[in-house]
């Protein structure tokens, strides 16, 4: 491996993190947050280099863009992480066996965490803060679209680490090349855990290629089911927020499922979407309910949209399992909650799902039957976020069931070991 020496340095540096106290880690995180604010102009200048190379119509543009407010939010999240209890040394189990052996299961770092991500420079800071707080070194592999932004961020972090006498190799940014990705995924013995954060194509590639352990932070095909007993004004607010708050994030709404008895309310439910110029791909019943009440230039028949999409992409399976990542969404009419549940089971990605209903029985059934990391009742899926859950920043949203699930924060990026204390016992 051409990067073997790099990985060796990171592995060696990771061992030094165990010598730091939580107070020292917190002080350094606060210093990096201060540096982000102080160096905002330089960070925005680097980000502008990346933005200049990307078409504004690209759904990734919003994810790539840093603003003064977004950098302030990043710094604020980092400060919040510094105030959280340390995940290290937590005693998860404590018992004494009949033979007198004392057993403790305690939380410890993974060691080195590899992160592969696309045009998301904020991930650079989030991963650093969570890994550093939890005693992990991190290897970052960002996309070429954000290379200037990521490089500026890592250089800033390195300057702060050096002033505190910390080996800067605890945070390492790899070249933005496919070759570097391949080496990272094969760095057995150096990288203890790899986490991909991006679109379905990236995640599938990492899962199918990696020889190191992987936790999937899956793409989000997100639904909201508006039930026959849903509150109209509440539903309108929830649907608008879930779709339009930030369209390029994985918790954004992709498909509205509406009970057929509420089709007459569909124009009202979609008023906020129209104001935000959202393109709607509606099934036959929903299309007829919206026709004349929604801008013609933004309203499409789902079957026609699907046919055009399949012409452009032979691998495209269905409009209903599309993660739009743009100001577009589908609307599907269902005759019952059971049909909504079946649709989610067929097309959902296990990320986040929501129901709008005042029927407690329907709410409980939805929560019990939907197989997803986050299941909402009368709230938008836009809340699926580590910071919103009070976890500080997040390293990703895990959609798998083995290990972490949902927002991955400090506790989710630690493992554990058993500590056994005896007084000379021997086993028969």
């Amino acid at each position: 491996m051409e990067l073997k020496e790099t990985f060796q340095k990171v592995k060696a540096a990771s061992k030094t993190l165990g010598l730091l106290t939580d107070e020292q880690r917190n002080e350094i995180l606060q210093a990096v947050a201060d540096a982000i604010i102080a160096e905002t102009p330089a960070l925005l200048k680097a980000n502008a280099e990346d933005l200049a190379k990307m078409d504004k119509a690209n759904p990734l543009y919003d994810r790539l863009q840093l603003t003064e407010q977004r950098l302030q939010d990043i710094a604020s999240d980092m400060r919040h992480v510094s105030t959280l209890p340390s995940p290290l040394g937590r005693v998860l189990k404590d018992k004494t066996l009949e033979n007198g052996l004392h057993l403790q299961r305690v939380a410890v770092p993974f060691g080195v965490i590899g992160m592969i991500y696309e045009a998301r420079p904020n991930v650079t800071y989030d991963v650093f803060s969570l890994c550093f707080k939890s005693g992990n070194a991190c290897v970052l592999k960002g996309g070429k679209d954000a290379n200037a932004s990521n490089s500026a961020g890592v250089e800033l972090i390195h300057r702060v680490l050096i002033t505190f006498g910390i080996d800067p190799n605890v945070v390492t940014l790899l070249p933005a090349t496919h070759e570097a990705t391949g080496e990272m995924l094969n760095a057995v013995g150096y990288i203890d855990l790899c986490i991909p954060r991006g679109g379905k194509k990236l995640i599938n590639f990492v899962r199918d290629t990696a020889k190191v352990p992987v936790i999937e932070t899956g793409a989000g095909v997100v639904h909201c089911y508006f039930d026959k007993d849903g509150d109209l004004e509440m539903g309108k607010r929830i649907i608008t927020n879930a779709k339009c708050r930030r369209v390029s994030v994985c918790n954004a709404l992709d498909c509205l499922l509406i009970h057929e008895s509420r089709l007459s309310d569909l124009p009202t439910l979609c008023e906020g979407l129209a104001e935000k110029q959202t393109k709607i791909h509606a099934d036959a019943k929903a299309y007829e309910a919206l026709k004349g009440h929604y801008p013609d230039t933004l309203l499409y028949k789902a079957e026609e949209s699907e046919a055009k999409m399949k012409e452009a992409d032979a691998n495209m399976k269905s409009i209903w399992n599309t993660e739009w990542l743009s100001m577009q969404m589908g609307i599907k009419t269902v005759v019952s909650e059971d049909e909504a549940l079946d649709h989610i089971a067929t097309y959902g990605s296990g990320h986040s799902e929501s129901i709008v209903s005042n029927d407690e029985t329907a709410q409980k059934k939805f929560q019990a039957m939907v197989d997803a990391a986050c299941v909402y009742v009368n709230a938008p899926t836009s809340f699926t976020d580590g910071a919103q859950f009070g976890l500080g920043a997040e390293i990703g949203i895990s959609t798998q069931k083995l290990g972490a699930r949902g927002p991955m924060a400090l506790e989710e990026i630690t493992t554990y070991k058993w500590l056994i204390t005896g007084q000379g016992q021997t086993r028969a």
Side-chain angles (χ1 to χ4, degrees):
M1 292 188 297
E2 291 185 9
L3 294 173
K4 183 176 181 179
E5 184 177 347
T6 298
F7 295 140
Q8 288 174 333
K9 289 180 179 179
V10 177
K11 191 71 172 179
S14 72
K15 306 296 184 184
T16 67
L17 290 175
L19 301 175
L20 296 177
T21 65
D22 191 50
E23 290 73 19
Q24 288 173 313
R25 293 190 185 95
N26 295 338
E27 183 182 4
I28 292 168
L29 288 175
Q30 291 279 355
V32 173
D34 291 342
I36 291 171
I37 299 302
E39 299 187 29
T40 289
L43 295 175
L44 292 180
K45 181 179 179 181
N47 184 239
E49 292 180 30
D50 292 326
L51 291 172
K53 300 173 185 176
M54 182 178 285
D55 185 347
K56 289 186 177 182
N58 189 324
L60 294 178
Y61 189 90
D62 179 62
R63 285 181 172 177
L64 174 61
Q65 186 172 35
L66 292 175
T67 63
E68 186 173 339
Q69 182 59 55
R70 287 183 180 181
L71 286 172
Q72 289 176 1
D73 292 342
I74 287 169
S76 177
D77 286 344
M78 191 171 293
R79 291 192 180 99
H80 184 211
V81 169
S82 76
T83 68
L84 297 174
S86 172
L88 302 177
R90 290 176 299 121
V91 178
L92 307 175
K93 283 190 178 182
D94 189 322
K95 64 179 181 179
T96 301
L97 303 181
E98 290 183 4
N99 62 11
L101 284 178
H102 181 219
L103 276 63
Q104 283 189 322
R105 195 169 82 179
V106 298
V108 296
F110 272 99
V112 178
I113 293 180
M115 190 76 191
I116 301 178
Y117 52 110
E118 294 172 329
R120 309 175 187 210
N122 64 295
V123 174
T124 299
Y125 304 96
D126 292 346
V127 172
F128 161 71
S129 64
L130 290 171
C131 284
F132 193 74
K133 175 76 174 181
S134 60
N136 291 291
C138 57
V139 177
L140 307 175
K141 171 57 183 71
K144 63 179 181 180
D145 290 330
N147 192 49
S149 303
N150 293 334
S151 296
V154 171
E155 287 169 7
L156 177 150
I157 293 168
H158 281 177
R159 288 195 294 273
V160 175
L161 292 176
I162 291 170
T163 64
F164 282 87
I166 306 299
D167 187 342
N169 288 302
V170 298
V171 185
T172 296
L173 179 66
L174 297 183
T177 64
H178 294 299
E179 291 76 15
T181 301
E183 290 201 47
M184 182 178 183
L185 297 178
N186 287 277
V188 176
Y190 299 107
I191 292 179
D192 298 290
L193 176 66
C194 182
I195 303 172
R197 183 167 174 177
K200 187 175 182 180
K201 185 177 179 180
L202 170 66
I203 292 163
N204 289 343
F205 172 77
V206 171
R207 183 189 60 232
D208 296 342
T209 306
K211 291 184 180 179
V212 297
V214 172
I215 289 183
E216 296 180 38
T217 57
V221 179
V222 175
H223 301 83
C224 177
Y225 168 53
F226 188 76
D227 188 38
K228 58 184 177 63
D229 294 306
D231 180 273
L232 184 58
E233 285 304 313
M234 180 191 294
K236 176 183 172 181
R237 292 196 307 272
I238 288 172
I239 292 164
T240 303
N241 185 256
K243 176 70 252 183
C244 303
R245 178 190 165 272
R246 282 192 70 183
V247 297
S248 63
V249 292
C250 58
N251 59 27
L253 181 61
D254 295 298
C255 181
L256 169 64
L257 303 172
I258 183 168
H259 194 282
E260 66 173 1
S261 67
R262 301 300 300 272
L263 281 172
S264 61
D265 291 317
L266 190 55
T268 300
L269 287 174
C270 294
E271 283 177 355
L273 302 178
E275 291 173 5
K276 297 292 185 178
Q277 297 293 297
T278 307
K279 294 180 181 179
I280 287 178
H281 307 272
D283 71 357
K285 292 181 179 179
Y287 184 88
E288 289 302 317
L290 286 172
K291 191 176 181 180
H293 303 283
Y294 199 84
D296 291 340
T297 55
L298 300 174
L299 183 61
Y300 302 84
K301 294 181 179 179
E303 57 184 25
E304 294 179 1
S305 297
E306 181 171 299
K308 290 180 181 178
M309 291 171 68
K310 285 184 176 180
E311 281 183 17
D313 183 0
N315 294 320
M316 189 265 184
K317 295 180 180 179
S318 170
I319 197 171
W320 304 118
N321 66 357
T322 296
E323 183 184 23
W324 292 102
L325 301 176
S326 60
M327 206 64 82
Q328 301 184 69
M329 61 177 280
I331 298 183
K332 172 76 172 176
T333 307
V334 295
V335 299
S336 65
E337 182 178 17
D338 285 337
E339 186 178 351
L341 292 169
D342 287 343
H343 184 97
I344 291 171
T346 301
Y347 299 106
S349 63
H351 192 291
S352 301
E353 308 291 358
S354 175
I355 181 175
V356 178
S357 178
N358 288 326
D359 183 340
E360 188 174 347
T361 300
Q363 294 172 1
K364 290 182 176 179
K365 183 176 182 178
F366 191 85
Q367 289 179 312
M369 297 299 292
V370 168
D371 185 11
C374 301
V375 183
Y376 293 83
V377 170
N378 292 334
T381 54
S382 49
F383 282 107
T384 300
D385 176 86
Q388 293 295 314
F389 279 21
L391 305 176
E394 70 182 33
I395 207 165
I397 308 291
S398 172
T399 56
Q400 66 184 42
K401 300 180 184 180
L402 183 61
R405 195 180 196 194
M408 292 180 62
L410 291 172
E411 291 186 12
E412 288 73 28
I413 54 174
T414 59
T415 182
Y416 59 80
K417 63 182 176 184
W418 289 93
L419 304 179
I420 305 95
T421 304
Q423 298 85 35
Q425 295 93 327
T426 59
R427 180 174 175 178

